[in-house]
Amino acid sequence: MNYTKFKEIIKLEMKKRNLWKDTFEFKVNRDVRGQSKSIFIVDGGNKIYIAKYFNYTEDIDIKIPKEDWETINSLNDYINYLDENYDVQIEEISEGLALKKRCFTRYVIASNETTNVFPVVYFNVEEINFDFSIGGILLEEAINGVTLETYINNPKFSKEERIIECINFFKIISKKMYEYFSKDFVHRDLSPDNIMILENQGIKDYIIIDPGVVKIMSRNSTKGRVKFCKDLYSSPEQYLGYGSTVNFTSDIYILGIVIYEFITNINLIKKFYRPDILPHNEINSMLDRTIEDWFYDSIDESPLIDRLYMIIKKMLQCKKDDRFQTKESFVSVVETLNLEGDD
Amino acid sequence: MTKYLIQHGPAKGAKIEKAIRDNSCDGVIFSPREESFGSIQNYCQNNFLNKNNTFYDPQFYYSRYDNSLYKNLEKNPTYPIEIKRKDWRIRDQKLLDYFNNHVQESSIISNQIITPGLCIDSLDWKFDHTLEIYNYFVENYKQFDSYYLTLAIGENLFHSKNDIDELLEDINDEIETKDGIYFFIVHENNENNSNIKNYEYMDEETLSNILYFLNKLKNMGFKIISAYNFINAILFSMIGVDFVAGGWFNTLRKFSKDRFESVDTFGIRKKRYTSIPLLSYFTGELAMLISEKMDISFIASGTPYDNDFLKDFDTLSFIDYEQEYWVALHNIIEKINSQNKLENKIIFVKNLIRTAIEYYDNMLDEFAEEKEICNRLKNSSAHLNKWLLAIDLFKNKALII
């Protein structure tokens, strides 16, 4: 990515909105796990903002000559250009690009209309011609904290601590998910490295960062399907590439993988990964067998734990309809997990 | 007299302008899903468009689909998200605001209005509400020259003539001002037909019921727009609908919900020539294979694109093929229009189909030894016999002697 140009754009947009201070500096975000490219805006070493670029056109395997980019200022221009110059399935590409843009705009809306679920978004531009692509940019608050990934791998946790922390996390995150589901948004990338932990006077809160985007894939592409690391936290429908059929139950599936890992330190998709099969099918068939055994190897049985396992099982169903029918039923079932009532 | 309208979609470029200036199309039906109203409004200031040749489909039927499919419809703050039965029953203010907005937008670019309608896949409230909304528009918004009732009907409803008769009876009883119908079929991916890759293919019973349905509506006094068509537009012009419509992409010629399931992956786009003599949408590759043994000039439709196509199909761009499609259809519809009555139009079209079958038979004889080519030819012509059977069934049902 052309960071020099990106910095120029961000600085200009921030100045327009009186957000820029002369003491600010840019710091490139080398952590490239997220699906967007980003850069921090720091003040005296403190990360204040993060600017992100969501490239809508990156999956389209066509290199448009640099000089022609001068005439392309919007997704519509881009689609017209491809149609007039290349032998591509433009109607399908157009549907795919519209979905990508929708992921971006729904994220901005969900951020603006919820509290403490996502970082605050200060501004966004829906369509911009940048770095020989079309995408959306946004500026949001930088979240300083540890990721859930670092946290759940903490070996110091006792069994008891682990279950307390896990259930607290599960309750808080499911309420937040309910909030953004209600804004018609699906995150698509709820991996532990995208959940930040904030601790204030011993009370933990969780902020979700870096939403995933739809992948537009070609049947004829020789490139890898989806990056393997992201497959480790994916629903079956995302793993197979059916991005447009993703709904709130897809995030519920991914959370099921995360919760199981929180308790057992086992990532089930990694455990059942083989290049030629859908690991989710294997997971489905093992839920009453070894997966249950590993679970109870990690944690002592109790009515609460049994109930937790039942919920995880429901979250990890291959068929979307078998997971939870409504976002309300999901959040209310999680709410019934009561640490005090357990004996 | 059937006229041809362009079904607007994504990547419009200069396609509409060229087709209208070349006189191969007579007007356009705009889709707010594909382009925001502001942008459509700007485009309508071009002098090849006027309020009489411009139609505006509100695409209200998407409000029953998952809202991830809304595209630009979402930009309209009044567009009803996932509409429910009670919204119209209680005359929900938001819905009435949406109607007002649609009236306002339509009146800016058009003298006629397409009233909002839901996708009708069974005889239920969606059908009732669609009729009631049309009546509401006729009664409350007097400023338009014409009113078109949206009938987006599921293909499955056409399997039975009884269902169709019931639909017709309700339309006749419930609609007092019989002005216009904006009709299209909502296709399904039929498992049984999935081995036949032919866009025109439809079983004869269903197709005959569609022809019967439109003919009856016409006889009731409605002006009819038959939207989202492939070459089957010829069959609708045969029964004298007022407008047939089709766009530059396959999805703008055949409306289907299921297509949305596959938008994440894309295959290879094939160059296809619209051959009127073959009544087929013929791939350039197959034409090239045929030309190795036969002179293929009989395929040509009499368009300015023929010479290039016959020399080397690849020299024409996809955009050329889109224009060729319209020119070819326009020419044949003109000929059908020139037949003075329904009976003669039917004879004319049946002769076209018989001739096409003969051309295919000749090719099949010539390539009898080459199985792969024979299969492709059989696939490409699979609809023709169905069309002949459907026309006969239609004549029986409509008692055309």
Side-chain angles (χ1 to χ4, degrees), chain B residues 37-77:
Chain B
F37 179 73
S39 172
I40 292 173
Q41 188 185 348
N42 278 340
Y43 189 71
C44 285
Q45 286 164 2
N46 283 304
N47 61 11
F48 57 90
L49 291 174
N50 59 58
K51 284 177 132 187
N52 290 325
N53 68 5
T54 302
F55 293 77
Y56 184 54
D57 172 4
Q59 300 185 299
F60 180 58
Y61 38 89
Y62 273 95
S63 65
R64 291 281 299 162
Y65 294 166
D66 188 277
N67 61 22
S68 63
L69 304 172
Y70 287 5
K71 288 176 89 176
N72 286 299
L73 293 173
E74 217 168 32
K75 284 190 181 155
N76 174 354

Side-chain angles (χ1 to χ4, degrees), chain A residues 130-189:
Chain A
F130 165 66
D131 209 18
F132 310 109
S133 63
I134 301 285
I137 56 171
L138 59 78
L139 182 84
E140 61 184 18
E141 69 173 320
I143 303 293
N144 295 291
V146 288
T147 65
L148 186 71
E149 186 182 32
T150 322
Y151 193 66
I152 58 180
N153 291 325
N154 183 353
K156 289 183 193 159
F157 274 148
S158 67
K159 278 184 182 181
E160 291 71 27
E161 280 169 333
R162 194 169 278 280
I163 188 71
I164 291 168
E165 293 297 332
C166 179
I167 287 184
N168 278 336
F169 162 73
F170 197 6
K171 285 186 164 185
I172 293 171
I173 209 79
S174 63
K175 277 192 203 130
K176 295 195 176 208
M177 285 164 75
Y178 176 79
E179 267 200 70
Y180 74 70
F181 290 159
S182 304
K183 301 295 168 196
D184 191 28
F185 175 71
V186 181
H187 188 278
R188 296 165 196 264
D189 193 15

Side-chain angles (χ1 to χ4, degrees), chain A residues 12 80 108 202 278 328:
Chain A
L12 188 75
N80 280 331
V108 172
L278 181 67
E328 286 80 11

Side-chain angles (χ1 to χ4, degrees), chain A residues 59-60 76 79-80 83-84 86-96 98-99 101-102 105-106 126-127 184 214-220 241-245, chain B residues 10-15 33-35 39 67-71 74-75 248-252 259-271 314 318-319 322:
Chain A
D59 303 331
I60 313 292
N76 252 347
I79 290 164
N80 280 331
D83 185 41
E84 282 160 24
Y86 296 93
D87 301 351
V88 290
Q89 289 283 29
I90 195 70
E91 46 198 325
E92 295 174 1
I93 289 178
S94 148
E95 293 282 337
L99 261 177
K101 186 180 152 193
R102 189 174 192 276
T105 51
R106 291 313 313 183
E126 273 188 17
E127 282 182 33
D184 191 28
V214 184
K215 287 270 165 201
I216 309 175
M217 292 186 297
S218 166
R219 279 190 209 115
N220 309 299
Y242 299 130
S244 62
T245 66
Chain B
K12 75 173 185 301
K15 293 163 184 166
R33 177 177 183 259
E34 306 299 346
E35 194 170 344
S39 172
N67 61 22
S68 63
L69 304 172
Y70 287 5
K71 288 176 89 176
E74 217 168 32
K75 284 190 181 155
W248 47 86
F249 292 144
N250 296 343
T251 47
L252 303 173
R259 72 186 169 100
F260 303 126
E261 299 294 321
S262 62
V263 294
D264 305 308
T265 54
F266 41 91
I268 299 166
R269 191 177 176 189
K270 284 185 180 151
K271 288 185 173 171
D314 229 7
F318 282 100
I319 293 175
E322 289 156 9

Side-chain angles (χ1 to χ4, degrees), chain A residues 21 28 31 46 80 90 105 117 123 130 146 175 186 193 207 236 248 260 262 290 303 316 322 327:
Chain A
K21 278 197 216 164
V28 172
D31 177 4
N46 294 322
N80 280 331
I90 195 70
T105 51
V117 176
F123 70 80
F130 165 66
V146 288
K175 277 192 203 130
V186 181
D193 60 335
I207 296 286
F248 72 95
Y260 188 89
F262 205 136
T290 45
L316 294 181
D322 292 342
K327 51 188 184 293

Side-chain angles (χ1 to χ4, degrees), chain B residues 6-217:
Chain B
I6 298 170
Q7 198 91 45
H8 162 245
K12 75 173 185 301
K15 293 163 184 166
I16 297 174
E17 177 166 6
K18 175 155 177 55
I20 293 182
R21 290 203 194 279
D22 288 355
N23 282 323
S24 52
C25 295
D26 302 294
V28 59
I29 303 168
F30 282 106
S31 300
R33 177 177 183 259
E34 306 299 346
E35 194 170 344
S36 68
F37 179 73
S39 172
I40 292 173
Q41 188 185 348
N42 278 340
Y43 189 71
C44 285
Q45 286 164 2
N46 283 304
N47 61 11
F48 57 90
L49 291 174
N50 59 58
K51 284 177 132 187
N52 290 325
N53 68 5
T54 302
F55 293 77
Y56 184 54
D57 172 4
Q59 300 185 299
F60 180 58
Y61 38 89
Y62 273 95
S63 65
R64 291 281 299 162
Y65 294 166
D66 188 277
N67 61 22
S68 63
L69 304 172
Y70 287 5
K71 288 176 89 176
N72 286 299
L73 293 173
E74 217 168 32
K75 284 190 181 155
N76 174 354
T78 66
Y79 191 83
I81 309 285
E82 290 169 14
I83 190 159
K84 290 174 197 70
R85 183 176 183 170
K86 74 166 196 292
D87 293 342
W88 171 245
R89 188 160 35 82
I90 62 167
R91 302 293 189 271
D92 183 70
Q93 189 54 44
K94 281 189 209 145
L95 190 60
L96 300 182
D97 290 345
Y98 166 70
F99 291 166
N100 282 330
N101 182 71
H102 174 51
V103 166
Q104 201 194 353
E105 289 181 348
S106 292
S107 63
I108 293 170
I109 60 169
S110 182
N111 283 334
Q112 43 274 325
I113 187 159
I114 297 175
T115 65
L118 295 166
C119 171
I120 299 156
D121 42 18
S122 60
L123 283 165
D124 60 11
W125 65 276
K126 297 191 284 297
F127 176 54
D128 299 336
H129 286 192
T130 299
L131 299 187
E132 285 169 24
I133 290 168
Y134 171 85
N135 285 335
Y136 176 85
F137 270 67
V138 172
E139 207 169 298
N140 288 281
Y141 305 108
K142 308 273 187 202
Q143 59 266 54
F144 295 97
D145 292 349
S146 295
Y147 297 79
Y148 285 86
L149 160 71
T150 297
L151 287 179
I153 302 184
E155 188 182 343
N156 62 316
L157 257 190
F158 288 100
H159 293 171
S160 135
K161 181 169 172 291
N162 288 343
D163 285 349
I164 295 306
D165 281 328
E166 210 170 314
L167 275 177
L168 286 165
E169 199 181 315
D170 283 356
I171 293 168
N172 198 26
D173 292 348
E174 302 298 325
I175 304 282
E176 203 180 314
T177 307
K178 294 186 174 58
D179 194 6
I181 303 261
Y182 173 66
F183 167 82
F184 61 90
I185 305 156
V186 180
H187 290 273
E188 283 158 28
N189 265 345
N190 192 336
E191 297 268 315
N192 300 328
N193 293 341
S194 57
N195 57 338
I196 299 169
K197 290 187 182 65
N198 178 324
Y199 295 110
E200 309 284 355
Y201 187 88
M202 188 181 272
D203 78 86
E204 60 273 22
E205 201 60 47
T206 306
L207 182 55
S208 68
N209 284 335
I210 294 167
L211 294 171
Y212 167 77
F213 179 68
L214 292 179
N215 186 56
K216 279 270 183 190
L217 289 173

